[in-house]
Amino acid sequence: MNSFFTYALTTDQYRKANNFKANGVASPTTKVLGFTLVVILFAAFGFLVSAGIGRSTVPGQWVLIAAVVAAAASTLLNVLARYSAERAVGRSTYMTSSPYQLAVSEAGMRLQNALSDVFHPWSAFSDVKEHDGIVYVNLDNIHYYPIPSDAFGSDDERRKFMAFSQERISASPARPSPTPAQSAGEIGGQNPPPLAQVFGKSRWKMATDAVRLAFLLPVAADRMAASWPTIIGIGVVAALIPSLPAFWTNPLAGEWSWFAVPSAVFHLVLLLIAAVVSAAALGRREDVPRILLAGILAAAVIDVLFTGLVTAVQWVGRGSETLAWRFGWVPGAWLALSIATYAARSVPRSMRRLGVLVASLVLVAYPLANVYRERTVWQVRYDPDDTQSYRAGGVAGEDIFYKQPVLLAQELKAIQPGTKGVIDLFFLGMAGYGSQDVFMREVNSVAGIFRDRFGTDGRTVRLINNPKTLLDTPVASKTSLKQALKRISDVMDKDEDILVLFMTSHGSEKHIFTLQLWPMNFHEVDPATLRSLLDESGIRNRVVIVSACYSGGFVKALENPDTLVITASAPDKNSFGCTNEAEWTYFGKAYFDDALRKTRSFTAAFRIAKPEIEAREKREKYDHSEPQMSIGHAIAARLDALQIQQEGRSPGASTVAASPTLAPPDRYEEYVRLMHTDDYLGELLMVCRQNMTLNSPDETVRSNPGSFDGMEKSRPHWNRLATSWNSYVEGVCNQSLDPALIRRIYAENVRRVMSREEVDAAVQLISTDQGRRWLDKDREASRRQQLELTRVQTGISSALYQKFRQEQDRIYKEFKQRAN
């Protein structure tokens, strides 16, 4: 028999070998049992959720439906996983990157290629088999070396190799039985310690192991061997840790909450899934219980530390909600890292470790960081006779149920009409989110500012969602907002008076203003709904201020000539400061409490507040929220008149005559906005990209085929060149045509060259249908002119540049000849 063979494994052979081994390892019985387990877990979890929410018996058909849905989902995931694995293997170069050299000796086998050099004694192998043109030299039932049958030259040589190998493997001494120091994969066959031992003699050792696991320290494999009842028992006990502070403070006044059980054990389901996936990634499927137990113990320590920290902050003072909001992702990420570190230690350094880390982050860290959970299963018992229970969350309490309509009627009835011939402000404030006090405080504070500075006493309506105000203030809802707008419309002078609508709450990426007060379900208020309510009310002069994340989505829907819209953020940005302990949000503090106390101009206050907000966000290391403002020309004139009126009323206020050649900043801003709309700036960006295309690598090669040293488009380097060019184009166009930059430069120059009368005339013209049509056609002509000029200039530049290059080459040749 030959002792030296050279062969190359193709991608198809590698894929075929992986499929054969995978199907061989997972027997039909194993697959059925695993599938059944998944169905049972899904059905049991669905049953637990339904029973916990409904507190009643769940109909059998719903359990059956849940099982069928779970089975279908599991099947689909399995198919997708197999498909993904097929594609991954097909693209892998792990065993197909270079030819192998196989050396066979009496001592064992050595396998070499350009990337590796591995020697195994015969005692390391389990057997040698052949299937479908591939010889499998198996280390165990998972790890193996595939060798194409044709690598041996002939069938006789292949049979000799297999007989020799099998003979040496059989003659080798048996591998030693597992010991406590060996890997957990080898321990899988041992009988795990009983539950009594785990909770009895080993409690101190288990606590020590839990701390070591949480802080990423190694733990002996045999110490994680446990039976399934043991693991379940430990998991249930550990899941109760976050409930201890509530039980300690209210041991007799509390009760068990079935509603919170699914949330409390949610992390156990994630840990089980992560353990299964991690064990599969490591090639040690028998290690699922060990990895699961390690995750449960690490989670227990992390819960103790984080729960203790939050409890300590609560006892010291305010700040616990800020801690949970800003750092709520830490426990999940810490737990994922603990699991990945422990599991990865059971195998040598390889890509398998990366697979475990990715699985832990995706299956544990991400869900725990993004899913809200009620971890406390011990909650204060509801007392229907306790008024404080109503305030703590009892919208459904009988007193409040009947009193809320009365409160709304009283609030609206108290609205008084304004004075004829005077511009009066009507203030309507809405605090939408009932679980945090900052919105309630903000509406109350802003209402006070408007009473003091704008004389809105008797013309103020507050709608507040908060458990503390249920017995004295109407709730904020779409219905109460609609009735308030109608009442204000009925008593105000629609031609001269102004409505100020201030809305503060959380917001969503879909631009929905959050209305929340558990357990009530409110109708949604989005930009279209708010515009419809305002239009239906008949109120003409409007100032709408929305303080919420993503509130910039309200601007387009609300803007018209009679409306000033101010928002705390851009349509795709968060606003900040929404914590229960805060007196103001960042926007509310800067705009109302600071800027609006210095001026009676809503637009001037915005210009004062915006840089202050940006500076604070920069100090706090937040992305800039980019507050927005849009003002119609009609409301601008009305607000100018209001400011003059307010300043005239102030005793001792100094008045400075406005220069006839300088217009108020409001009118200039309106002119700039009309001339540089978002659509127009978008067209400029498109023109920039089109112009840059004329100098792209494609166009350069087309006009000068010898460019780039003859690089062909089929080469991989060409894609890198094209990507680099596209990045350059986007950088140039986006930065040079930044809307804020263009509008700022244009506004500065307009103020230098245009008088108030000229701005008024221009705004009046552009605001008409005829003026808008003229402006659109003028812009289209300018766009076409720019494109045509760029083409002509590019052609001229290219021709003259070629002439310059030719002259340059002649001069250089003459220089070289004389130098020589």
Side-chain angles (χ1 to χ4, degrees), residues 38 169 231 233 300 313 363 394 465 506 511 573 653 699 775 782 790:
V38 171
I169 293 171
I231 296 173
V313 172
L363 298 175
N465 287 338
H506 290 297
H511 307 134
K573 298 288 186 179
E699 289 297 319
L775 186 59
S782 298
T790 301

Side-chain angles (χ1 to χ4, degrees), residues 706-724:
S707 301
F708 307 112
D709 291 331
M711 183 192 305
E712 298 177 357
K713 294 183 179 181
S714 59
R715 296 286 185 177
H717 294 79
W718 182 266
N719 292 331
R720 292 172 54 190
L721 180 64
T723 301
S724 177

Side-chain angles (χ1 to χ4, degrees), residues 320-362:
S320 60
E321 291 196 16
T322 302
L323 177 68
W325 177 63
R326 290 191 179 181
F327 302 104
W329 58 271
V330 172
W334 186 356
L335 178 58
L337 187 59
S338 300
I339 298 172
T341 301
Y342 177 74
R345 282 196 171 106
S346 62
V347 296
R349 292 183 179 179
S350 65
M351 291 300 291
R352 292 179 180 273
R353 290 188 172 186
L354 178 60
V356 172
L357 177 60
V358 172
S360 300
L361 292 176
V362 172

Side-chain angles (χ1 to χ4, degrees), residues 685-819:
L685 185 62
M686 180 182 65
V687 170
C688 176
R689 290 168 177 163
Q690 291 175 340
N691 288 341
M692 295 288 284
T693 302
L694 298 175
N695 296 310
S696 67
D698 285 327
E699 289 297 319
T700 300
V701 170
R702 188 183 62 81
S703 58
N704 298 291
S707 301
F708 307 112
D709 291 331
M711 183 192 305
E712 298 177 357
K713 294 183 179 181
S714 59
R715 296 286 185 177
H717 294 79
W718 182 266
N719 292 331
R720 292 172 54 190
L721 180 64
T723 301
S724 177
W725 171 261
N726 291 334
S727 176
Y728 164 69
V729 170
E730 289 300 311
V732 169
C733 293
N734 289 338
Q735 293 182 36
S736 61
L737 293 175
D738 177 63
L741 175 66
I742 291 178
R743 286 171 175 146
R744 178 178 60 79
I745 295 175
Y746 184 72
E748 291 173 353
N749 287 281
V750 166
R751 288 190 176 95
R752 294 190 183 100
V753 301
M754 293 183 67
S755 67
R756 168 64 182 270
E757 291 76 11
E758 291 169 335
V759 170
D760 288 340
V763 170
Q764 185 175 0
L765 171 63
I766 299 172
S767 299
T768 64
D769 291 339
Q770 181 180 1
R772 281 192 291 269
R773 287 195 298 271
W774 162 78
L775 186 59
D776 290 341
K777 292 180 180 179
D778 181 73
R779 287 172 176 166
E780 177 62 20
S782 298
R783 186 181 68 84
R784 296 183 181 184
Q785 176 195 32
Q786 186 64 36
L787 287 173
E788 185 62 27
L789 280 174
T790 301
R791 293 191 187 95
V792 172
Q793 291 168 353
T794 300
I796 294 173
S797 176
S798 178
L800 294 176
Y801 183 71
Q802 289 295 331
K803 184 177 180 180
F804 164 72
R805 287 291 302 272
Q806 294 171 1
E807 182 66 20
Q808 174 184 287
D809 291 343
R810 285 196 296 270
I811 295 172
Y812 183 70
K813 288 179 181 178
E814 292 178 4
F815 168 75
K816 293 291 291 183
Q817 289 173 356
R818 293 184 178 181

